[in-house]
Amino acid sequence: QQQVKQSPQSLIVQKGGISIINCAYENTAFDYFPWYQQFPGKGPALLIAIRPDVSEKKEGRFTISFNKSAKQFSLHIMDSQPGDSATYFCAASIEGSARQLTFGSGTQLTVLP
Amino acid sequence: DAGITQSPRHKVTETGTPVTLRCHQTENHRYMYWYRQDPGHGLRLIHYSYGVKDTDKGEVSDGYSVSRSKTEDFLLTLESATSSQTSVYFCAISVTGTEPQHFGDGTRLSIL
């Protein structure tokens, strides 16, 4: 049973375009939503995270949009660059649970030059 | 980069053999985690530790055991490896369990 559903599975974007990855969750107890970026042969690295008390968080070209009522959150990558080509994972966790992360299935992003 | 070293980085073994993976950290973080990564499943938590000798099960703990005798080391053991345990295994650490987790670079394990 997958508690965090991520789409699309793969995404191809032209350089300079906007990349959008979506996630939906079921457990309303989740209160922390990070996004991880993973390059081949490397471990996931924290990219940006949001808590449900805000609807949007922006860090540079990366923005998380959060819709609590719809139980959905998304990652927007503005002005996408070939160096952004990687696999992106959304995740969710509950405070007090040792922050056990429940991950989405991942999105492989390819940014064409 | 967080000081996390996983060993070995690659291992090929046969069904039925015992396997131990090691995660070593130099950050003195209290929390340590073991995940497995499989296509279509993202990462799934196997076990985690919240202190020396304090461990708990994650989502996919069957067939795995862990031990933590020192703050810096967290061991994952497959007592009798099966082909379904072929995967990439990642260790992660966190200062308090509420702070973000930082991941190692993984161990690719193949069980033939």
Side-chain angles (χ1 to χ4, degrees):
Chain A
Q1 181 182 357
Q2 190 172 27
Q3 294 192 55
V4 179
K5 295 185 178 180
Q6 183 172 346
S7 63
Q9 184 176 350
S10 62
L11 180 62
I12 299 175
V13 174
Q14 293 287 338
K15 179 182 176 181
I18 302 173
S19 303
I20 302 174
I21 304 171
N22 300 299
C23 285
Y25 63 97
E26 299 169 6
N27 189 344
T28 55
F30 286 143
D31 61 357
Y32 176 71
F33 302 88
W35 283 89
Y36 282 83
Q37 179 189 56
Q38 184 181 29
F39 294 104
K42 295 293 187 179
L46 180 67
L47 190 62
I48 186 172
I50 197 168
R51 298 182 189 276
D53 52 343
V54 297
S55 60
E56 185 175 283
K57 183 174 182 179
K58 183 176 181 180
E59 290 185 1
R61 297 183 294 109
F62 301 91
T63 300
I64 299 178
S65 296
F66 186 81
N67 186 330
K68 188 174 182 179
S69 61
K71 293 187 289 185
Q72 295 176 347
F73 58 110
S74 60
L75 176 69
H76 296 237
I77 306 174
M78 311 301 289
D79 186 26
S80 298
Q81 299 296 312
D84 297 330
S85 296
T87 301
Y88 293 81
F89 293 95
C90 61
S93 68
I94 304 170
E95 187 167 6
S97 68
R99 283 295 179 204
Q100 298 176 58
L101 290 170
T102 298
F103 281 85
S105 55
T107 295
Q108 186 166 353
L109 172 66
T110 301
V111 181
L112 301 176
Chain B
D1 288 347
I4 306 170
T5 303
Q6 291 188 233
S7 59
R9 292 295 314 277
H10 303 272
K11 186 173 183 65
V12 180
T13 190
E14 295 182 347
T15 300
T17 60
V19 177
T20 295
L21 308 183
R22 182 188 184 221
C23 177
H24 177 78
Q25 60 143 332
T26 58
E27 307 295 323
N28 200 37
H29 284 3
R30 179 181 173 190
Y31 286 78
M32 298 185 75
Y33 309 78
W34 276 109
Y35 293 86
R36 61 178 289 174
Q37 184 175 29
D38 305 289
H41 291 277
L43 289 89
R44 292 178 291 175
L45 182 66
I46 304 171
H47 282 279
Y48 67 96
S49 169
Y50 48 96
V52 174
K53 292 185 169 51
D54 293 322
T55 66
D56 206 348
K57 296 178 180 180
E59 178 188 355
V60 291
S61 59
D62 287 349
Y64 302 94
S65 62
V66 290
S67 64
R68 191 170 179 200
S69 59
K70 298 184 290 184
T71 298
E72 58 265 35
D73 289 326
F74 193 31
L75 304 181
L76 177 70
T77 297
L78 292 65
E79 299 290 348
S80 178
T82 67
S83 59
S84 65
Q85 294 175 311
T86 291
S87 187
V88 181
Y89 291 85
F90 287 97
C91 172
I93 63 175
S94 172
V95 178
T96 62
T98 57
E99 296 300 317
Q101 294 178 25
H102 300 279
F103 286 78
D105 285 338
T107 293
R108 184 172 295 275
L109 177 63
S110 296
I111 301 166
L112 307 178

